[in-house]
Amino acid sequence: MPNRALFENVWPIASFALLGTCFNAVAIGFSLIGIAQIMPFSVQFTTIQLFLFSSLISACDPVAVIAFFEEIHVNAFLYVSVMGEALFNDSVVVMLYQMFSKFLAMGEENLLPVHYAQGVLSLLFIACGGALLGAICGFVAAFITKHSHRADTANPTTVFLFAYISFLLAELFGISSIISTTVYGMVTKQYVKENTEWQTSMSISYFVRVVSQASNAVTYLFLGLVLISIPSHYDVWFIIWTLVFCTIFRIIAVIVQCLYFNRFHYPRYTVIDQFILCFGGLRGAIAYGLALDIPDSVEAKPMFATTCLMVIYFTVFIQGVPMPYIVQWLKIKREHHDSNLMAGFHNICNNYTRSAIEAIIGQKCMHSCCQKYERINAKYMRPALIRDKKRQEFDASRIVRNYSKAAVSNAIAEMKFTDLNKTKSDQIELRERHGKEN
Amino acid sequence: MPNRALFENVWPIASFALLGTCFNAVAIGFSLIGIAQIMPFSVQFTTIQLFLFSSLISACDPVAVIAFFEEIHVNAFLYVSVMGEALFNDSVVVMLYQMFSKFLAMGEENLLPVHYAQGVLSLLFIACGGALLGAICGFVAAFITKHSHRADTANPTTVFLFAYISFLLAELFGISSIISTTVYGMVTKQYVKENTEWQTSMSISYFVRVVSQASNAVTYLFLGLVLISIPSHYDVWFIIWTLVFCTIFRIIAVIVQCLYFNRFHYPRYTVIDQFILCFGGLRGAIAYGLALDIPDSVEAKPMFATTCLMVIYFTVFIQGVPMPYIVQWLKIKREHHDSNLMAGFHNICNNYTRSAIEAIIGQKCMHSCCQKYERINAKYMRPALIRDKKRQEFDASRIVRNYSKAAVSNAIAEMKFTDLNKTKSDQIELRERHGKEN
């Protein structure tokens, strides 16, 4: 997850996650109720019960999105848009789901407007609480790794342990565990990488990938197993209408929001970007988990669960599987890591200049916020959480790091491998190694 | 585990593991019976029951040995001697233990000499079966990684999965799971490293260390817990006599065997080496696991289990914990990885020369065996198990690898870091990185 790209596009992502998901949940809910008035489905349900279903079905699943987007390497802007939405709409879905299950327990006739306000307020608690919890766990883990460099092989255990603790605590307090774990990862990444040996941080990030792939496999194994092991109730029309509304309202939400953001946010969402955003709304195991959590007293629960499973299968097989081919066919700009000295150097200079211009014209934009955060980070957090760091006003390490990276790749490029019958590809591989390593 | 050092010292290691352990088991058994005749212990036991105990108490534990020797980095010769004994005496202990438990079930009066012969024969099955199983699993894993390079993040899962399969199958067939897993590691190491990206193999070896450390912690946690959770029977004299005999017979076994091998095996075991070998006989969780497996019909089981636990505590705290300080105090030669071009190059040349001389004088020694194995490996196994390997008579890759390693470190040493205020230590660190990486 590229932290900076995430911060720079925080408004579109927040909008997709918050407004988009709410719109989807409400629109799908009302549409299905409308259809039910015209042609009743095989099982009866109340309005609140249906909203419970519509809120869980409108959640994009980060696991499914990672599974398909991780390997494609689309550009950072598109990646954080799809990925950020999937990660952060978890809080919205949890909020909506908790709100409607509370309404269900209270009974529809006892609902007052104040309850709706309470529900919306709890969103703040669920999202911000998750972020805060993740950040605290991240700082603690970073602080521990700062002082445990003499037992370097214990550091991966610390990192994984606190990730799990942040997940467990979030579940315990009923706040968003996905946001908590995501923020934990974003926080620890910056500090742990500098506190540990390069082998340690590389192994950690590599094993996160291995474990996430393995968990992905287990998740889809589970989704395959439940199809035949759990009592199901197929209502073909309910499935079809749900699929239709999921698709239509996602397209509407994406287009409307992109139109709005394209007016003043840079970079713009092109038509192709919008197409991928529509296509990226993959549903996954979280929705199904919530469907199984619906109280058994709800008569339509088997129908909801089966429909949810069908929507997951549809989005994964019809939308997810062809994704790499579509990305290739549409010639979407891929991410390329540029180890070129000048490009990297000027990119950083450019960012400083932009924030300077923002400061001169007196506008507080994303760039100056990022720069401000980096200053605070360099002055207080990095010295506290990173080994052998002195307090410094201006964190020049990124420029220095960029320079030494280029210098290493230069030195290796100058090596004469020809007398060893080394091919060109070997040299490129070596250069890549050293590029990644620094 | 340095494979080559292990092969070169295979005879002393086999002798320590096989003869040393058998001698210990028999000597401790007879001595305790002798003591029991003079001053009876608090619980009665038969001869066979005591031999069950003496066979499990004479096993060195690889987990305990790794825990203390991993971090010290003694020279490869001493390390493989201690480590090899601990790993391979497992088969002997399993054999003795199974033999005596069968005798116990049959009843002492029904024993015939043929049963002893059967027991000794089963050693072959337990040890060789374990090695064969480990090798087969290793080849399968190597073959899979050869063809799965397009899904590189799946390779660590394959490697760990087959390690576990080799362990489970060994337990299933009643053969030595420790030998099986060890041989698996020795086999896969050669091929998987070349089949995967360097990040993958580095992450695998790093995570093996992390997991082994974590498992170590859990093992000792368990050994601490059982002290207060399982009914125990303290017989102070039995504990003291067991400790005394364990120590005395280990010293005798080590000195006698070293005297014998020093007559024709090179390198010699110095007095300090012998001291460390005596000291390295750490007992661990395996002995205690076997003690818990003693049938409940044996009246003395609680006494045996408690004594076993006390011996483990004694060897770990009195022998294991001071080990690093003793190694430092005795100024034992440490292992140093020499990335010097000339030293590495001549070391390899030296090995080839030695095997040539052995061939000329018509003597089949360890060097020519190793060389022969390497030729077969290069001709048949490596092409079959490594990606993009052509059949070749003479595997020159070690010399080439050595050269390119030195060339990389040269190139980096020539970089001018001075204008970036990089200190000398930074350059050394960079060089080490590149040294390790190749």
Side-chain angles (χ1 to χ4, degrees):
Chain A
M1 195 80 178
N3 278 5
R4 199 181 171 95
L6 185 72
F7 277 117
E8 282 175 2
N9 301 297
V10 69
W11 293 119
I13 292 168
S15 166
F16 288 139
L18 181 64
L19 299 180
T21 310
C22 284
F23 167 74
N24 264 284
V26 173
I28 293 171
F30 277 119
S31 312
L32 282 175
I33 288 170
I35 295 290
Q37 303 290 338
I38 303 163
M39 42 173 282
F41 296 113
S42 56
V43 188
Q44 290 298 312
F45 43 75
T46 65
T47 312
I48 296 292
Q49 288 171 359
L50 190 76
F51 272 109
L52 205 61
F53 171 72
S54 76
S55 65
L56 69 89
I57 205 69
S58 53
C60 291
D61 191 65
V63 177
V65 172
I66 283 184
F68 292 105
F69 275 81
E70 180 82 89
E71 300 297 313
I72 312 180
H73 298 295
V74 295
N75 57 74
F77 169 60
L78 193 53
Y79 183 69
V80 294
S81 297
V82 177
M83 205 46 213
E85 180 197 353
L87 282 169
F88 295 109
N89 74 6
D90 176 59
S91 61
V92 181
V93 171
V94 170
M95 180 274 285
L96 287 174
Y97 186 83
Q98 284 185 354
M99 192 170 84
F100 286 120
S101 13
K102 218 159 72 183
F103 290 176
L104 196 67
M106 286 162 65
E108 253 168 277
E109 58 284 358
N110 303 325
L111 283 184
L112 297 171
V114 66
H115 292 132
Y116 289 96
Q118 274 180 358
V120 173
L121 210 70
S122 74
L123 171 66
L124 212 73
F125 175 68
I126 291 171
C128 298
L132 191 71
L133 181 67
I136 291 173
C137 286
F139 287 133
V140 173
F143 190 74
I144 290 177
T145 54
K146 180 189 176 187
H147 294 287
S148 68
H149 58 279
R150 290 184 60 180
D152 201 47
T153 42
N155 285 334
T157 322
T158 311
V159 172
F160 287 117
L161 200 69
F162 274 89
Y164 194 53
I165 287 177
S166 84
F167 174 84
L168 285 183
L169 284 179
E171 290 284 310
L172 189 70
F173 296 132
I175 55 185
S176 166
S177 53
I178 293 185
I179 291 186
S180 161
T181 320
T182 307
V183 171
Y184 171 84
M186 286 161 63
V187 169
T188 41
K189 188 184 162 192
Q190 312 171 48
Y191 308 114
V192 169
K193 203 172 171 184
E194 305 210 26
N195 278 335
T196 55
E197 299 287 317
W198 66 276
Q199 294 104 319
T200 310
S201 53
M202 215 202 66
S203 298
I204 292 174
S205 67
Y206 190 85
F207 254 80
V208 168
R209 260 198 296 158
V210 171
V211 171
S212 83
Q213 272 210 349
S215 318
N216 247 345
V218 173
T219 307
Y220 287 107
L221 176 72
F222 168 77
L223 285 180
L225 279 176
V226 288
L227 181 65
I228 49 164
S229 65
I230 285 186
S232 48
H233 178 99
Y234 292 91
D235 183 326
V236 178
W237 283 111
F238 190 73
I239 294 172
I240 290 175
W241 281 117
T242 308
L243 278 175
V244 168
F245 290 132
C246 278
T247 314
I248 289 177
F249 290 124
R250 174 150 190 98
I251 293 172
I252 293 175
V254 166
I255 290 177
V256 169
Q257 289 177 94
C258 285
L259 271 180
Y260 175 73
F261 281 109
N262 275 353
R263 286 174 57 193
F264 60 83
H265 185 268
Y266 183 82
R268 308 251 178 280
Y269 289 97
T270 64
V271 177
I272 290 174
D273 287 346
Q274 292 177 29
F275 178 74
I276 293 293
L277 276 172
C278 294
F279 231 68
L282 304 174
R283 269 67 168 180
I286 291 171
Y288 190 70
L290 290 176
L292 290 186
D293 265 3
I294 294 176
D296 287 328
S297 58
V298 176
E299 207 189 335
K301 182 183 172 182
M303 184 175 79
F304 289 161
T306 309
T307 308
C308 177
L309 207 55
M310 289 302 126
V311 173
I312 295 170
Y313 287 157
F314 178 83
T315 56
V316 168
F317 289 114
I318 310 294
Q319 293 181 204
V321 174
M323 187 78 76
Y325 307 100
I326 292 173
V327 167
Q328 206 163 25
W329 183 63
L330 291 175
K331 295 192 184 62
I332 287 172
K333 209 177 134 200
R334 303 294 183 94
E335 184 71 8
H336 52 98
H337 289 284
D338 214 337
S339 70
N340 183 299
L341 174 64
M342 280 304 150
F345 185 79
H346 282 294
N347 195 16
I348 298 168
C349 286
N350 199 5
N351 282 335
Y352 288 127
T353 318
R354 278 207 231 174
S355 61
I357 293 172
E358 280 178 9
I360 290 168
I361 60 176
Q363 204 183 8
K364 288 274 171 207
C365 273
M366 234 37 234
H367 273 291
S368 49
C369 283
C370 283
Q371 222 63 266
K372 196 164 198 172
Y373 165 76
E374 276 182 15
R375 250 165 232 277
I376 293 174
N377 199 8
K379 198 168 176 186
Y380 301 106
M381 273 132 81
R382 287 171 66 88
L385 297 172
I386 296 181
R387 193 150 47 94
D388 304 333
K389 268 278 163 207
K390 281 169 199 69
R391 283 174 176 244
Q392 49 191 16
E393 270 293 319
F394 180 74
D395 180 23
S397 66
R398 277 178 65 211
I399 295 183
V400 175
R401 244 185 291 143
N402 207 272
Y403 181 80
S404 59
K405 191 202 276 183
V408 169
S409 70
N410 253 20
I412 288 155
E414 278 169 22
M415 281 166 57
K416 298 286 177 286
F417 270 101
T418 40
D419 49 346
L420 278 167
N421 295 326
K422 286 259 174 187
T423 58
K424 184 81 186 165
S425 70
D426 277 322
Q427 288 188 36
I428 290 167
E429 193 206 317
L430 254 170
R431 209 174 305 147
E432 274 176 1
R433 277 191 200 182
H434 295 280
K436 275 177 201 157
E437 178 187 310
N438 280 54
Chain B
M1 195 79 178
N3 278 6
R4 200 181 170 94
L6 185 72
F7 277 117
E8 282 175 2
N9 301 297
V10 68
W11 292 119
I13 291 168
S15 166
F16 288 139
L18 181 64
L19 300 180
T21 310
C22 284
F23 167 75
N24 264 284
V26 172
I28 293 171
F30 277 119
S31 311
L32 282 175
I33 288 171
I35 295 290
Q37 302 291 338
I38 303 164
M39 42 174 282
F41 296 113
S42 56
V43 188
Q44 289 298 311
F45 44 76
T46 66
T47 312
I48 295 292
Q49 287 172 358
L50 189 76
F51 272 108
L52 205 61
F53 171 73
S54 76
S55 64
L56 69 88
I57 206 70
S58 53
C60 292
D61 190 65
V63 176
V65 172
I66 283 183
F68 292 106
F69 275 81
E70 180 83 88
E71 300 296 313
I72 311 181
H73 298 295
V74 295
N75 57 74
F77 168 60
L78 193 53
Y79 183 69
V80 293
S81 298
V82 178
M83 206 45 213
E85 180 197 352
L87 283 169
F88 294 109
N89 74 7
D90 176 58
S91 62
V92 181
V93 171
V94 170
M95 179 274 285
L96 288 174
Y97 186 84
Q98 284 184 354
M99 192 170 84
F100 287 120
S101 10
K102 219 159 71 182
F103 291 176
L104 196 67
M106 287 163 64
E108 251 167 281
E109 57 284 359
N110 304 324
L111 283 184
L112 297 172
V114 66
H115 292 131
Y116 289 96
Q118 274 181 357
V120 174
L121 210 70
S122 74
L123 171 67
L124 212 73
F125 175 68
I126 291 172
C128 298
L132 191 71
L133 181 67
I136 291 173
C137 286
F139 288 132
V140 173
F143 190 75
I144 290 176
T145 54
K146 180 189 176 186
H147 294 286
S148 67
H149 57 279
R150 290 184 60 182
D152 201 48
T153 42
N155 285 334
T157 322
T158 311
V159 172
F160 286 118
L161 200 69
F162 274 90
Y164 194 53
I165 286 176
S166 85
F167 174 84
L168 286 183
L169 284 179
E171 290 283 310
L172 190 69
F173 296 132
I175 55 185
S176 166
S177 54
I178 293 186
I179 291 187
S180 162
T181 319
T182 308
V183 171
Y184 172 83
M186 286 161 64
V187 169
T188 41
K189 188 184 162 192
Q190 312 171 47
Y191 307 113
V192 169
K193 204 173 172 183
E194 304 210 25
N195 278 335
T196 55
E197 299 286 318
W198 66 276
Q199 294 104 319
T200 310
S201 53
M202 215 202 66
S203 298
I204 292 174
S205 67
Y206 190 85
F207 253 79
V208 168
R209 260 198 295 156
V210 171
V211 171
S212 83
Q213 271 210 349
S215 318
N216 247 345
V218 173
T219 306
Y220 287 107
L221 177 71
F222 168 76
L223 285 180
L225 280 176
V226 287
L227 181 65
I228 48 164
S229 65
I230 285 186
S232 48
H233 178 100
Y234 293 90
D235 183 326
V236 178
W237 283 111
F238 190 74
I239 294 173
I240 290 176
W241 282 117
T242 308
L243 278 174
V244 168
F245 290 132
C246 278
T247 314
I248 289 177
F249 291 124
R250 175 151 190 97
I251 293 173
I252 293 175
V254 166
I255 290 178
V256 169
Q257 289 176 94
C258 286
L259 272 179
Y260 174 74
F261 281 109
N262 275 352
R263 286 173 58 192
F264 61 84
H265 184 268
Y266 183 83
R268 307 251 178 281
Y269 289 97
T270 64
V271 177
I272 290 173
D273 288 346
Q274 292 178 29
F275 178 75
I276 294 293
L277 276 172
C278 294
F279 231 67
L282 305 174
R283 270 67 169 179
I286 291 171
Y288 190 70
L290 290 176
L292 290 185
D293 265 3
I294 294 176
D296 286 329
S297 58
V298 176
E299 207 189 335
K301 182 182 171 181
M303 184 175 78
F304 288 162
T306 309
T307 308
C308 177
L309 206 56
M310 289 302 126
V311 173
I312 295 170
Y313 287 157
F314 178 84
T315 56
V316 168
F317 289 114
I318 310 294
Q319 294 181 204
V321 174
M323 187 78 76
Y325 307 100
I326 291 173
V327 167
Q328 206 163 25
W329 183 63
L330 291 175
K331 296 193 183 61
I332 287 171
K333 210 178 134 198
R334 303 293 184 93
E335 184 70 8
H336 52 98
H337 289 284
D338 214 337
S339 70
N340 183 299
L341 174 64
M342 280 304 149
F345 185 78
H346 282 294
N347 195 16
I348 298 168
C349 286
N350 199 5
N351 282 334
Y352 289 126
T353 317
R354 277 206 231 174
S355 62
I357 293 172
E358 280 178 9
I360 291 168
I361 60 176
Q363 204 183 8
K364 288 274 171 207
C365 274
M366 235 36 235
H367 273 291
S368 48
C369 282
C370 284
Q371 222 62 266
K372 197 164 197 171
Y373 165 75
E374 276 182 15
R375 251 164 232 277
I376 294 174
N377 198 9
K379 198 168 176 186
Y380 302 105
M381 273 132 82
R382 287 171 65 88
L385 297 172
I386 296 181
R387 193 151 46 94
D388 303 333
K389 267 280 161 205
K390 281 168 200 70
R391 282 174 177 244
Q392 49 191 17
E393 271 292 319
F394 180 74
D395 180 24
S397 66
R398 278 178 64 211
I399 294 182
V400 175
R401 243 185 292 143
N402 207 271
Y403 181 80
S404 59
K405 190 202 277 183
V408 169
S409 70
N410 253 19
I412 288 155
E414 278 168 20
M415 282 166 57
K416 298 285 176 288
F417 271 102
T418 39
D419 49 346
L420 277 167
N421 296 325
K422 286 258 173 187
T423 58
K424 185 80 185 165
S425 70
D426 277 321
Q427 288 189 36
I428 290 167
E429 192 206 317
L430 255 170
R431 209 174 306 147
E432 274 176 1
R433 279 191 199 182
H434 295 280
K436 274 177 201 156
E437 179 186 310
N438 280 54

